[in-house]
Each structure stands twice: as structure tokens, then as C-alpha cells.
Amino acid sequence: MQKSQRMKELSSAIFSEMNVRKQQVEARNIKVINLGIGSPDRSPAPHIIEAMHRALDKAGNYTYPITGKPELHQALADWYLKRFGVYLDPRNEVLVLMGSQDGLGHIALAYIDPGDIALVPDPGYPIYSASILLAQGKVYPMPLLAENKFLPDLSAIPADVAQRAKLMWLNYPNNPVAAVADRSFFEQVVDFAKKNNILVCHDVAYSELAYDGYKPISFLEVPGAKEVGIEFYSVSKTYSMAGCRCGFAVGNAEVLSSLATIKSNIDYGVFSVVQEGAVAALTGSQDCVVENARIYQQRRDVLVDGLASLGWKMPKPRASMFVWAPIPKGYTSSYQFAIELLEKTGVLVIPGVAFGEQGEGYVRIALVQPEEQLKEALERIKNNFVFN
Ligand SMILES: Cc1ncc(COP(=O)(O)O)c(C=O)c1O
């Protein structure tokens, strides 16, 4: 059977290669410390799990949910107002998704025709370019460089590309580079999008994993943002509910309606029990969110300080669940370094180049293991590597 052309362009071969290498290391009876995947290892707070237990007993919760429950729309709108000061009309400025990934993957089908250009961060979370390729659009990479604080340089985008582009992906706090964006950057984005008639899709999945008192902002806080864009949010990272599959698109009502139309042809919504869990998460005590961020911050400190003491230095991220680490001196390939690290120590990190060409020279380390595992990783690295 002949696969479609688009299959060739999807999913970086590096992810599958790392997986094969991981299995080989495991076959040598080495326990792999997986700092590769971005999946939270913690559980939701007890009040969220209890709400889902109660929801399981309701007979009405087993039909096709089709759309989001009104109380979930309201809960998310209330949360946005409280957290960001952003007013959302719960009726048409909130769309419930089967995890934000659902919307990230499908929005391009509503706005991109074959050959259309989309502006995509490089490096970037893989779904941004995959969604454009699935819609047969063309990816125009926006390099995220250390010298620009990992923000795209909008002035470097040629005028003809900007004018032809239909969609721009953004993601702050960022995966994989762990950078953050401030209000003035988002203001520039709104101006740029208005001038060039571009739909901005901002992914704010990591807004609540922020450290040292820093509070990431929503793109929608900037005046005019709702006219040009939407934002994707998720309960996955904030409340450690990644397996539940519930997220949101919020903002421009017309864009959300288009995304809803695409989705209505594909899926039947988020399991009602999960929706009730999300309501409990958004409306209940937020102590678990503070505790979650505290734990990730502590992991960040253990890892970054520990590696620095071994001679491998990297900046401490202000947000996200990742450390974006320049590969140690003496290495030229992020892939080679990640393989050597895995094979010598059983510590799995992702080569930056898996997220795009500009990711070369870095590895992404996910803070998804408890402190003891991170300390074990440090010990193994100490015993096998000398950094200078
Ligand atoms: C930047 C970013 N956005 C979205 C997602 C997917 O989140 P969800 O679980 O809501 O689909 C991830 C998951 O790793 C992510 O890193």
C-alpha cells in the first residue's frame, strides 16, 4: 500500500530513533531516566479526582458530549478573567477541545489551503509545523535565537512573505526553548498581524508553570489581540491532567466557530466526566497550582545547579517544564551528544534539532521526574562525563 506524500514530511525521525536507542539501553538492563517526554508525572489534586468520581456515577454522562458543558465554558471564562484580566464571552469565545493538541492540529484545516504560507517558530513544538503540512500549506520558519531572547524577529520576515502568510504560530512560555514573552512583544505581534491580515495562534499551555514569582501573560491581554487571534490553553500541565484530554481555544469568536465546524466533522467532544473534572480544577482551590510550580522550580534548581557544579552551565528558565541546554563544549551535534548521554548514563534528553534546524546546538531536558531521579541522573553524568 502506498502511503500519502504527507507521511514523509510528518514526525521527525529523531524522535523514533531516540526511542529505539532507549529500548536498546533498557535491553542492557539499565533503567532509563526519561527526561525526554513533556508529560507531567504528577497526579491531579484530590478534589479534582473526587469530582470525576462523582461524575462517573451520573448516568447522563455517558452519551456523546458533542460540545463543552456550559458550566465548563463559564469556569474557563471566570478563570481567564481572574488570572489574566481577559474577558471572554463563555458562549462564543470559549471552545472546549480534546486537549489543546486537538485544536493545534486542526485549526490549519480551517485557514490554510494548499500552498498557503504559515509562520512557524524554529525550533518549535512539532504540531505547529505538522498541522500546516497536514493542510498542505508551506511552513516559513521564524528562527528563535538566543540573541533575540528566543523571540521571532518580525522585522526579518520579508514583506512579500508577511503579506502572503495566513497564520502565525506562537508559544510562550515556550516549548522547547523555555523562553517567555512580554507585553511589548505581543503588541508588535498584534500590529504585524493587523498590517498583514494574519491569524495569530498563541499556545499558552505553560502559563502556570512559572518560577521565582514570575507570572506569564496571555496574548489576549494586549489590546486588539482578539481581533487577530486565538489562544490555546489546557488543564494538562496546570493541573497534571494530561491523560484526561481537555483543553481550550479562546478569543476570536469567528475563528473559534470555524474550528468548531472542522471538529464537528471529526469528533464528539470531551468525555463529560473529564469536563466535570476540569470544572473542579478551574473553580476549586488553586493551591495545587502553586504547589505544582514550586515542585517544578525545585527540580529546575536541583538539575541546573547540579549540572553547573559539574561544569555544564545553562540558563535557568523562568517558566515551562523544560531546560534548554546548550550542548557542552567539544560537541557539535545535539543528536550525537544526546545519544552519547543516553548510552553512557541512561539519561534521555531530546536533541534540539528534533524541533527544527535552529535547535541544533541544544538539548531539551524535561523536568518530569522527581528530585531523587534527577539527583541519580546527576550522579550518573558525574561518573561518565568531564565538562570543561
Ligand atoms: C507547548 C505545548 N502545547 C500543547 C501541548 C499539548 O497539550 P494538551 O495535553 O492540552 O493537548 C503540549 C504538550 O506537551 C505542549 O508542550
Coordinates of all heavy atoms in Angstrom, one line a residue, residues 10-83:
L10 N 5.9 14.1 7.9 CA 5.5 14.2 9.3 C 6.5 13.5 10.2 O 7.2 12.6 9.8 CB 4.1 13.5 9.4 CG 2.9 14.3 8.9 CD1 1.7 13.4 9.0 CD2 2.8 15.6 9.6
S11 N 6.5 13.9 11.5 CA 7.2 13.4 12.6 C 8.7 13.2 12.3 O 9.1 12.5 11.4 CB 6.6 12.1 13.1 OG 7.1 11.0 12.5
S12 N 9.5 13.9 13.1 CA 10.9 13.9 13.0 C 11.4 12.5 13.3 O 11.0 11.8 14.2 CB 11.5 14.8 14.0 OG 12.9 14.5 14.3
A13 N 12.3 12.0 12.4 CA 12.9 10.7 12.5 C 13.7 10.6 13.8 O 13.8 9.5 14.4 CB 13.8 10.4 11.3
I14 N 14.1 11.7 14.3 CA 14.9 11.7 15.5 C 14.2 11.2 16.7 O 14.7 10.4 17.6 CB 15.5 13.1 15.8 CG1 16.4 13.6 14.6 CG2 16.3 13.2 17.1 CD1 16.8 15.0 14.7
F15 N 12.9 11.5 16.9 CA 12.1 11.0 18.0 C 12.0 9.5 18.0 O 12.2 8.8 19.0 CB 10.7 11.6 18.0 CG 10.6 13.0 18.4 CD1 10.5 14.0 17.5 CD2 10.7 13.4 19.8 CE1 10.4 15.4 17.9 CE2 10.7 14.7 20.2 CZ 10.5 15.7 19.2
S16 N 11.8 8.9 16.8 CA 11.7 7.4 16.7 C 13.1 6.8 17.0 O 13.2 5.8 17.6 CB 11.1 6.9 15.4 OG 11.0 7.9 14.5
E17 N 14.1 7.5 16.4 CA 15.5 7.0 16.6 C 15.8 7.0 18.1 O 16.4 6.0 18.7 CB 16.4 7.8 15.8 CG 17.9 7.5 16.0 CD 18.2 6.1 15.4 OE1 17.4 5.5 14.6 OE2 19.3 5.6 15.7
M18 N 15.5 8.0 18.8 CA 15.7 8.1 20.3 C 15.0 7.0 21.0 O 15.5 6.4 22.0 CB 15.3 9.4 20.9 CG 16.1 10.6 20.4 SD 17.9 10.5 20.7 CE 18.1 10.6 22.5
N19 N 13.8 6.7 20.6 CA 13.0 5.6 21.2 C 13.7 4.2 21.0 O 13.7 3.4 21.9 CB 11.6 5.6 20.6 CG 10.6 5.2 21.6 OD1 10.9 5.3 22.8 ND2 9.5 4.7 21.1
V20 N 14.2 4.0 19.8 CA 14.9 2.7 19.5 C 16.1 2.6 20.4 O 16.3 1.6 21.0 CB 15.3 2.7 18.0 CG1 16.2 1.5 17.7 CG2 14.0 2.6 17.1
R21 N 16.9 3.7 20.5 CA 18.1 3.7 21.3 C 17.7 3.5 22.8 O 18.5 2.8 23.5 CB 18.8 5.0 21.2 CG 19.3 5.4 19.8 CD 20.5 4.6 19.4 NE 21.0 5.0 18.1 CZ 22.3 5.2 17.8 NH1 23.2 4.9 18.7 NH2 22.6 5.5 16.6
K22 N 16.6 4.0 23.2 CA 16.2 3.9 24.6 C 15.9 2.4 24.9 O 16.4 1.9 25.9 CB 14.9 4.7 24.8 CG 14.2 4.5 26.2 CD 13.0 5.4 26.3 CE 12.2 5.1 27.5 NZ 11.1 4.2 27.2
Q23 N 15.2 1.8 23.9 CA 14.9 0.3 24.1 C 16.2 -0.5 24.2 O 16.3 -1.4 24.9 CB 14.0 -0.2 23.0 CG 12.6 0.2 23.2 CD 11.7 0.2 22.0 OE1 12.2 -0.3 20.9 NE2 10.5 0.7 22.0
Q24 N 17.2 -0.1 23.3 CA 18.5 -0.8 23.3 C 19.2 -0.7 24.7 O 19.7 -1.6 25.2 CB 19.4 -0.3 22.2 CG 18.9 -0.7 20.8 CD 19.6 0.0 19.7 OE1 20.4 1.0 20.0 NE2 19.4 -0.4 18.5
V25 N 19.1 0.5 25.3 CA 19.8 0.7 26.6 C 19.0 -0.1 27.6 O 19.6 -0.7 28.5 CB 19.8 2.3 26.9 CG1 20.2 2.5 28.3 CG2 20.7 3.0 25.9
E26 N 17.7 -0.1 27.6 CA 16.9 -0.8 28.5 C 17.2 -2.3 28.4 O 17.3 -3.0 29.4 CB 15.4 -0.6 28.3 CG 15.0 0.7 28.9 CD 13.6 1.2 28.5 OE1 13.1 0.7 27.4 OE2 13.0 2.0 29.2
A27 N 17.5 -2.8 27.2 CA 17.8 -4.2 27.0 C 19.1 -4.6 27.7 O 19.4 -5.8 28.0 CB 17.8 -4.5 25.5
R28 N 19.9 -3.6 27.9 CA 21.2 -3.8 28.7 C 20.9 -3.7 30.2 O 21.9 -3.6 31.0 CB 22.2 -2.8 28.3 CG 22.9 -3.0 26.9 CD 23.7 -1.8 26.4 NE 24.3 -1.0 27.3 CZ 24.6 0.3 27.2 NH1 24.1 0.9 26.1 NH2 25.2 1.0 28.1
N29 N 19.7 -3.8 30.6 CA 19.3 -3.7 32.0 C 19.6 -2.4 32.7 O 19.8 -2.4 33.9 CB 19.9 -4.9 32.8 CG 18.9 -6.0 32.8 OD1 17.7 -5.8 32.7 ND2 19.4 -7.2 33.0
I30 N 19.7 -1.4 31.9 CA 19.9 0.0 32.5 C 18.6 0.7 32.6 O 17.8 0.7 31.7 CB 20.9 0.8 31.7 CG1 22.2 0.1 31.6 CG2 21.0 2.2 32.2 CD1 23.2 0.7 30.6
K31 N 18.3 1.2 33.8 CA 17.0 1.9 34.0 C 17.2 3.3 33.4 O 18.0 4.1 33.8 CB 16.6 2.0 35.5 CG 15.2 2.5 35.6 CD 14.8 2.6 37.1 CE 13.5 3.4 37.3 NZ 13.6 4.8 36.8
V32 N 16.4 3.6 32.4 CA 16.5 4.9 31.7 C 15.8 5.9 32.5 O 14.6 5.7 33.0 CB 15.8 4.8 30.3 CG1 15.7 6.2 29.7 CG2 16.7 3.9 29.4
I33 N 16.4 7.0 32.7 CA 15.8 8.2 33.4 C 15.3 9.1 32.3 O 16.1 9.7 31.6 CB 16.8 8.9 34.3 CG1 17.3 7.9 35.4 CG2 16.1 10.1 35.0 CD1 18.3 8.5 36.3
N34 N 14.0 9.1 32.1 CA 13.4 9.7 30.9 C 13.1 11.2 31.1 O 12.2 11.6 31.8 CB 12.2 9.0 30.5 CG 11.7 9.4 29.1 OD1 12.2 10.4 28.5 ND2 10.9 8.6 28.5
L35 N 14.0 12.0 30.6 CA 13.8 13.5 30.7 C 13.5 14.0 29.3 O 13.8 15.1 28.9 CB 15.1 14.2 31.3 CG 15.6 13.6 32.6 CD1 16.8 14.4 33.1 CD2 14.5 13.7 33.7
G36 N 12.9 13.1 28.5 CA 12.6 13.4 27.1 C 11.2 13.9 26.9 O 11.0 15.0 26.4
I37 N 10.2 13.1 27.3 CA 8.9 13.5 27.0 C 8.4 14.6 27.9 O 8.8 14.7 29.1 CB 7.9 12.3 27.3 CG1 8.2 11.6 28.6 CG2 7.9 11.3 26.1 CD1 7.1 10.8 29.1
G38 N 7.5 15.4 27.4 CA 6.9 16.6 28.1 C 5.6 16.2 28.8 O 4.7 17.0 28.9
S39 N 5.6 15.0 29.4 CA 4.3 14.6 30.1 C 4.4 14.7 31.6 O 5.3 14.1 32.2 CB 4.0 13.2 29.7 OG 2.8 12.8 30.2
P40 N 3.6 15.5 32.2 CA 3.7 15.7 33.7 C 3.6 14.4 34.4 O 2.8 13.5 34.0 CB 2.5 16.6 34.0 CG 2.0 17.1 32.8 CD 2.4 16.2 31.7
D41 N 4.4 14.2 35.4 CA 4.5 12.9 36.1 C 3.6 12.9 37.3 O 3.4 11.9 38.0 CB 5.9 12.6 36.5 CG 6.5 13.6 37.4 OD1 6.4 14.8 37.1 OD2 7.0 13.3 38.5
R42 N 3.0 14.1 37.7 CA 2.2 14.2 38.9 C 0.8 13.9 38.7 O 0.3 13.8 37.6 CB 2.5 15.6 39.5 CG 4.0 15.9 39.7 CD 4.2 17.1 40.5 NE 3.8 16.9 41.9 CZ 2.9 17.6 42.5 NH1 2.3 18.6 41.9 NH2 2.6 17.4 43.7
S43 N 0.0 13.7 39.8 CA -1.4 13.4 39.7 C -2.3 14.7 40.0 O -1.8 15.6 40.7 CB -1.9 12.4 40.7 OG -1.1 11.3 40.5
P44 N -3.5 14.7 39.5 CA -4.3 15.9 39.8 C -4.6 15.9 41.3 O -4.5 14.9 42.0 CB -5.7 15.6 39.1 CG -5.4 14.5 38.1 CD -4.2 13.8 38.6
A45 N -5.0 17.1 41.8 CA -5.3 17.3 43.3 C -6.5 16.4 43.6 O -7.4 16.2 42.8 CB -5.6 18.7 43.6
P46 N -6.6 16.0 44.9 CA -7.7 15.1 45.3 C -9.1 15.6 44.9 O -10.0 14.9 44.5 CB -7.6 15.0 46.8 CG -6.1 15.2 47.0 CD -5.7 16.2 46.0
H47 N -9.3 17.0 45.1 CA -10.7 17.5 44.8 C -11.1 17.3 43.3 O -12.2 17.2 43.0 CB -10.9 18.9 45.3 CG -10.1 19.9 44.5 ND1 -8.8 20.3 44.7 CD2 -10.5 20.7 43.4 CE1 -8.4 21.2 43.8 NE2 -9.4 21.5 43.0
I48 N -10.1 17.3 42.4 CA -10.3 17.1 41.0 C -10.7 15.6 40.7 O -11.7 15.3 40.1 CB -9.1 17.5 40.2 CG1 -8.8 19.0 40.4 CG2 -9.4 17.2 38.7 CD1 -7.5 19.4 39.8
I49 N -10.0 14.7 41.3 CA -10.2 13.3 41.2 C -11.6 12.9 41.8 O -12.4 12.2 41.2 CB -9.1 12.4 41.8 CG1 -7.8 12.7 41.1 CG2 -9.4 10.9 41.7 CD1 -6.6 12.0 41.5
E50 N -11.9 13.5 42.9 CA -13.2 13.3 43.6 C -14.4 13.7 42.7 O -15.4 13.1 42.6 CB -13.3 14.0 44.9 CG -12.5 13.2 46.0 CD -12.1 14.1 47.2 OE1 -12.7 15.2 47.4 OE2 -11.2 13.7 47.9
A51 N -14.2 14.9 42.1 CA -15.2 15.4 41.2 C -15.5 14.4 40.0 O -16.6 14.2 39.6 CB -14.9 16.8 40.6
M52 N -14.4 13.8 39.5 CA -14.5 12.9 38.4 C -15.2 11.6 38.9 O -16.0 11.0 38.2 CB -13.2 12.6 37.7 CG -12.7 13.8 36.9 SD -11.4 13.5 35.8 CE -10.0 13.7 36.8
H53 N -14.8 11.2 40.2 CA -15.5 10.0 40.8 C -17.0 10.2 40.8 O -17.8 9.4 40.4 CB -15.0 9.8 42.2 CG -13.8 8.9 42.2 ND1 -12.9 8.9 43.3 CD2 -13.2 8.1 41.3 CE1 -11.9 8.1 43.1 NE2 -12.0 7.6 41.9
R54 N -17.4 11.4 41.3 CA -18.9 11.7 41.4 C -19.5 11.7 40.0 O -20.6 11.2 39.8 CB -19.1 13.1 42.1 CG -18.8 13.0 43.6 CD -19.4 14.3 44.2 NE -18.8 15.5 43.8 CZ -17.6 16.0 44.2 NH1 -17.0 15.4 45.2 NH2 -17.2 17.1 43.7
A55 N -18.8 12.3 39.0 CA -19.3 12.4 37.7 C -19.5 11.0 37.0 O -20.4 10.8 36.2 CB -18.4 13.2 36.8
L56 N -18.6 10.0 37.4 CA -18.7 8.7 36.9 C -20.1 8.0 37.3 O -20.6 7.2 36.5 CB -17.6 7.8 37.5 CG -16.2 7.9 36.8 CD1 -15.2 7.1 37.7 CD2 -16.3 7.3 35.4
D57 N -20.6 8.4 38.4 CA -21.9 7.8 38.9 C -23.1 8.5 38.2 O -24.2 8.0 38.4 CB -22.0 8.0 40.4 CG -21.1 7.0 41.1 OD1 -20.7 6.0 40.5 OD2 -20.7 7.4 42.2
K58 N -23.0 9.5 37.4 CA -24.1 10.1 36.8 C -24.4 9.4 35.4 O -23.6 9.5 34.5 CB -23.9 11.6 36.5 CG -23.7 12.4 37.8 CD -23.6 13.9 37.4 CE -23.1 14.7 38.6 NZ -22.6 16.0 38.3
A59 N -25.6 8.8 35.4 CA -26.0 8.1 34.2 C -25.9 8.9 32.9 O -25.5 8.5 31.9 CB -27.4 7.5 34.3
G60 N -26.3 10.2 33.0 CA -26.3 11.1 31.9 C -24.9 11.4 31.3 O -24.9 12.0 30.2
N61 N -23.9 11.0 32.0 CA -22.5 11.4 31.5 C -22.0 10.4 30.5 O -20.8 10.5 30.1 CB -21.6 11.5 32.7 CG -21.6 12.9 33.3 OD1 -22.2 13.8 32.7 ND2 -21.1 13.0 34.5
Y62 N -22.8 9.5 30.0 CA -22.2 8.5 29.0 C -22.7 8.7 27.6 O -22.4 7.8 26.7 CB -22.5 7.1 29.6 CG -21.7 6.9 30.9 CD1 -22.2 7.2 32.1 CD2 -20.4 6.4 30.8 CE1 -21.5 7.1 33.3 CE2 -19.7 6.2 32.0 CZ -20.2 6.6 33.2 OH -19.5 6.5 34.3
T63 N -23.5 9.7 27.3 CA -23.8 10.0 25.9 C -22.7 10.8 25.2 O -21.8 11.2 25.9 CB -25.1 10.8 25.9 OG1 -24.9 12.0 26.6 CG2 -26.3 10.1 26.5
Y64 N -22.8 10.9 23.9 CA -21.8 11.7 23.2 C -21.9 13.1 23.8 O -23.0 13.8 23.8 CB -22.1 11.8 21.7 CG -21.8 10.6 20.9 CD1 -22.9 10.0 20.2 CD2 -20.6 10.0 20.9 CE1 -22.6 8.8 19.5 CE2 -20.3 8.9 20.2 CZ -21.4 8.3 19.5 OH -21.1 7.1 18.8
P65 N -20.8 13.7 24.3 CA -20.9 15.0 24.8 C -21.1 16.1 23.7 O -21.6 17.2 24.0 CB -19.6 15.2 25.6 CG -18.7 14.1 25.1 CD -19.5 13.1 24.5
I66 N -20.6 15.9 22.5 CA -20.6 16.8 21.4 C -19.9 18.1 21.7 O -19.0 18.4 21.0 CB -22.1 17.0 20.9 CG1 -22.9 15.7 20.8 CG2 -22.1 17.8 19.6 CD1 -23.0 15.1 19.5
T67 N -20.5 18.9 22.6 CA -19.9 20.2 22.8 C -19.5 20.3 24.3 O -19.8 19.5 25.1 CB -20.9 21.4 22.5 OG1 -22.0 21.1 23.3 CG2 -21.2 21.5 21.1
G68 N -18.9 21.5 24.6 CA -18.5 21.7 26.0 C -19.7 22.0 26.9 O -20.7 22.7 26.4
K69 N -19.7 21.6 28.1 CA -20.8 21.9 29.1 C -20.8 23.4 29.3 O -19.7 24.0 29.5 CB -20.6 21.2 30.4 CG -20.8 19.7 30.4 CD -20.5 19.1 31.8 CE -20.6 17.6 31.8 NZ -22.0 17.1 32.2
P70 N -21.9 24.1 29.4 CA -22.0 25.5 29.7 C -21.2 25.8 31.0 O -20.5 26.9 31.0 CB -23.5 25.8 29.9 CG -24.2 24.7 29.2 CD -23.3 23.5 29.2
E71 N -21.2 25.0 32.0 CA -20.5 25.3 33.2 C -19.0 25.3 33.1 O -18.3 26.0 33.7 CB -21.0 24.4 34.4 CG -20.9 22.9 34.2 CD -22.2 22.3 33.6 OE1 -22.8 23.0 32.8 OE2 -22.5 21.2 34.0
L72 N -18.5 24.5 32.1 CA -17.1 24.5 31.8 C -16.7 25.7 31.0 O -15.7 26.4 31.3 CB -16.7 23.2 31.0 CG -15.2 23.1 30.7 CD1 -14.4 23.2 31.9 CD2 -14.9 21.7 30.0
H73 N -17.5 26.2 30.1 CA -17.3 27.4 29.4 C -17.2 28.6 30.4 O -16.3 29.4 30.3 CB -18.4 27.7 28.4 CG -18.3 26.9 27.1 ND1 -18.2 27.5 25.9 CD2 -18.2 25.6 26.9 CE1 -18.1 26.5 24.9 NE2 -18.1 25.3 25.6
Q74 N -18.2 28.6 31.3 CA -18.2 29.6 32.3 C -17.0 29.6 33.2 O -16.4 30.6 33.5 CB -19.5 29.5 33.2 CG -19.8 30.7 34.1 CD -20.0 32.0 33.3 OE1 -20.9 32.0 32.5 NE2 -19.2 33.0 33.6
A75 N -16.6 28.3 33.6 CA -15.5 28.2 34.6 C -14.2 28.7 33.9 O -13.4 29.4 34.5 CB -15.3 26.7 34.9
L76 N -14.0 28.4 32.6 CA -12.8 28.9 31.9 C -12.8 30.4 31.8 O -11.8 31.0 32.0 CB -12.7 28.1 30.6 CG -11.4 28.1 29.9 CD1 -11.1 29.2 28.9 CD2 -10.2 28.0 30.8
A77 N -14.0 30.9 31.4 CA -14.1 32.4 31.3 C -13.8 33.1 32.6 O -13.1 34.1 32.6 CB -15.5 32.8 30.7
D78 N -14.3 32.6 33.7 CA -14.1 33.1 35.0 C -12.6 33.1 35.4 O -12.0 34.0 35.9 CB -14.9 32.4 36.1 CG -16.4 32.7 36.0 OD1 -16.8 33.6 35.2 OD2 -17.2 31.9 36.6
W79 N -12.0 31.9 35.0 CA -10.6 31.7 35.3 C -9.7 32.7 34.5 O -8.8 33.3 35.1 CB -10.2 30.3 35.0 CG -8.8 29.9 35.4 CD1 -8.4 29.5 36.6 CD2 -7.6 30.1 34.6 NE1 -7.0 29.3 36.6 CE2 -6.5 29.7 35.3 CE3 -7.4 30.5 33.2 CZ2 -5.2 29.7 34.8 CZ3 -6.1 30.5 32.8 CH2 -5.0 30.1 33.6
Y80 N -10.1 32.9 33.3 CA -9.3 33.9 32.4 C -9.4 35.3 33.0 O -8.4 36.0 33.0 CB -9.8 33.8 31.0 CG -8.7 33.2 30.0 CD1 -8.5 31.9 30.0 CD2 -8.0 34.0 29.2 CE1 -7.5 31.3 29.2 CE2 -7.0 33.5 28.3 CZ -6.8 32.2 28.3 OH -5.9 31.6 27.5
L81 N -10.6 35.6 33.4 CA -10.8 37.0 33.9 C -10.0 37.2 35.2 O -9.3 38.2 35.4 CB -12.3 37.2 34.2 CG -12.7 38.6 34.5 CD1 -12.4 39.6 33.4 CD2 -14.2 38.7 34.8
K82 N -10.0 36.2 36.1 CA -9.3 36.3 37.3 C -7.8 36.3 37.1 O -7.1 37.0 37.7 CB -9.7 35.1 38.2 CG -9.5 35.3 39.7 CD -10.3 34.4 40.5 CE -9.8 34.5 41.9 NZ -10.0 33.3 42.7
R83 N -7.3 35.4 36.3 CA -5.9 35.2 36.1 C -5.3 36.2 35.2 O -4.2 36.7 35.5 CB -5.7 33.7 35.6 CG -4.3 33.4 35.1 CD -3.2 33.5 36.2 NE -1.9 33.1 35.6 CZ -1.1 34.0 35.0 NH1 -1.4 35.2 35.0 NH2 0.1 33.6 34.6

